[in-house]
Amino acid sequence: MSDTQVPGGFAKVAEPFVCGGTAASFASVIIHPIDLAKVRMQLFGQLNPGKIGPSFPALLRGMVQTDGIWSIYKGVDAAIGRQMVYGTARIGLHRTFSNKLVEKNGGKPIGFGQKALSGMASGSIAVCIGTPFDIALVRLQADSMAPVAERRNYKHVFDALIRTTTEEGVGALYKGLAPNILRGMAMNVGMLACYDQAKEISAKVLNDPMIDGPALTTKMASSAIAGFTAALFSLPFDLVKSRLMNQRIDPVTGKLPYSGIVDATLQIAKKEGPLGFFNGFSAYYGRCAPHAMIILLSIESITAHYQKSMY
């Protein structure tokens, strides 16, 4: 019998990574237009200071009318690449860490503190691996917002990665790393740790014994809660990350708009107020909630199929 057929072999170790990455990639394709609108709404305040930004339905409608239906899928290749790296790592590592903690706890459920710790550790590691694809994704999504003469006109995700490296250096692929790590930690706690906790609470409220796994109603309620907490916890970090990743040198001053995460945070607070950190919340929640629900609902089916096929 090969390792791929033995529970505890390579197939078992790879399970949370393969299933998590597949679910994350699938979810990203579905919600990509909302994610694109979210990024553009976050950058609107930087590019148009003092102006009221459009709602995300109006923004998407305008893009379709101006550039056609495929314009709302700009950067989808980078989104898939990002989830194949970042999504695979953050979900796979969280499940691996959580399972180890449960094992050390004698098979009993672990507390929320340990779930949060697992989420923060896995989120930060995954961000360090996947940030270059995040850079490419933000730039591809935001490029058409810039004046024609200032557009980068990347052809695809690999063109964005190669040109960013050759034109700005390898370090440019890690712009915004600090807020991205904080966002990854907040996202994992809000989505995965809160989902695990909400699942236990929802099962008790809905009288779900979870003998053969959680019932659909339990999963729906838990994933809806996780979508909200993920958006609430991570949006301020996501906004700062988007601003830092998309910035370019001012031709007049020869300097970047922000010198780092602290400067960006202070400037946003000063120019846009505290609520400026929640610009695009409607689009962000509209992205986080369905993204979380698609991942958390589909991963159960993907995992069952994987187990049936592999061992």
Side-chain angles (χ1 to χ4, degrees):
M1 187 175 288
S2 67
D3 282 347
T4 58
Q5 296 174 307
V6 180
F10 176 75
K12 185 64 176 177
V13 174
E15 179 184 308
F17 296 92
V18 174
C19 299
T22 301
S25 299
F26 172 67
S28 284
V29 172
I30 300 298
I31 59 88
H32 185 76
I34 301 173
D35 190 46
L36 183 146
K38 178 267 297 183
V39 170
R40 292 184 171 225
M41 290 176 73
Q42 289 178 338
L43 297 176
F44 187 88
Q46 178 185 2
L47 300 174
N48 304 275
K51 294 184 179 180
I52 299 176
S55 64
F56 82 90
L59 193 153
L60 290 175
R61 184 168 58 249
M63 289 183 65
V64 171
Q65 292 174 347
T66 303
D67 301 313
I69 186 66
W70 293 113
S71 64
I72 63 176
Y73 273 91
K74 183 72 172 178
V76 71
D77 54 344
I80 294 172
R82 175 176 179 268
Q83 291 301 335
M84 289 177 68
V85 177
Y86 168 70
T88 296
R90 79 182 180 98
I91 297 173
L93 288 172
H94 175 69
R95 290 300 171 215
T96 300
F97 294 162
S98 295
N99 290 342
K100 287 293 183 183
L101 290 170
V102 170
E103 185 180 316
K104 287 187 176 182
N105 199 38
K108 299 176 183 177
I110 57 177
F112 181 73
Q114 289 179 298
K115 293 172 185 173
L117 183 62
S118 171
M120 288 189 287
S122 55
S124 60
I125 294 170
V127 166
C128 291
I129 299 171
T131 289
F133 282 95
D134 217 0
I135 289 280
L137 175 60
V138 168
R139 291 188 173 196
L140 283 165
Q141 290 178 328
D143 200 41
S144 62
M145 293 181 69
V148 176
E150 297 179 12
R151 292 178 185 176
R152 296 181 172 102
N153 296 314
Y154 297 130
K155 297 175 183 177
H156 45 70
V157 58
F158 295 108
D159 182 44
L161 291 170
I162 293 169
R163 282 182 50 194
T164 299
T165 303
T166 55
E167 295 171 7
E168 303 173 48
V170 176
L173 294 175
Y174 287 90
K175 283 181 179 177
L177 179 61
N180 207 17
I181 289 175
L182 294 174
R183 175 197 178 275
M185 293 168 69
M187 176 65 75
N188 254 23
V189 171
M191 177 180 164
L192 299 177
C194 286
Y195 173 75
D196 290 343
Q197 191 70 22
K199 186 165 60 175
E200 293 176 13
I201 296 172
S202 298
K204 291 179 181 179
V205 172
L206 298 171
N207 294 317
D208 177 9
M210 295 202 297
I211 296 173
D212 296 319
L216 179 60
T217 51
T218 299
K219 290 189 287 187
M220 290 287 288
S222 304
S223 58
I225 293 169
F228 177 78
T229 52
L232 184 66
F233 293 176
S234 64
L235 178 55
F237 303 115
D238 189 77
L239 184 137
V240 173
K241 176 212 72 171
S242 294
R243 298 282 180 93
L244 288 172
M245 287 183 169
N246 191 58
Q247 65 178 338
R248 65 181 74 208
I249 295 175
D250 189 316
V252 177
T253 64
K255 297 180 180 179
L256 291 169
Y258 308 117
S259 61
I261 182 174
V262 175
D263 182 49
T265 301
L266 293 174
Q267 284 200 48
I268 293 169
K270 181 179 179 181
K271 295 177 181 178
E272 302 172 47
L275 292 179
F277 291 102
F278 290 89
N279 278 340
F281 182 79
S282 58
Y284 193 65
Y285 176 71
R287 179 226 185 254
C288 281
H291 190 258
M293 293 181 74
I294 292 169
I295 289 176
L296 297 169
L297 292 174
S298 66
I299 199 170
E300 304 282 351
S301 299
I302 293 170
T303 300
H305 182 73
Y306 178 90
Q307 292 175 342
K308 184 178 179 180
S309 301
M310 300 302 291
Y311 50 85

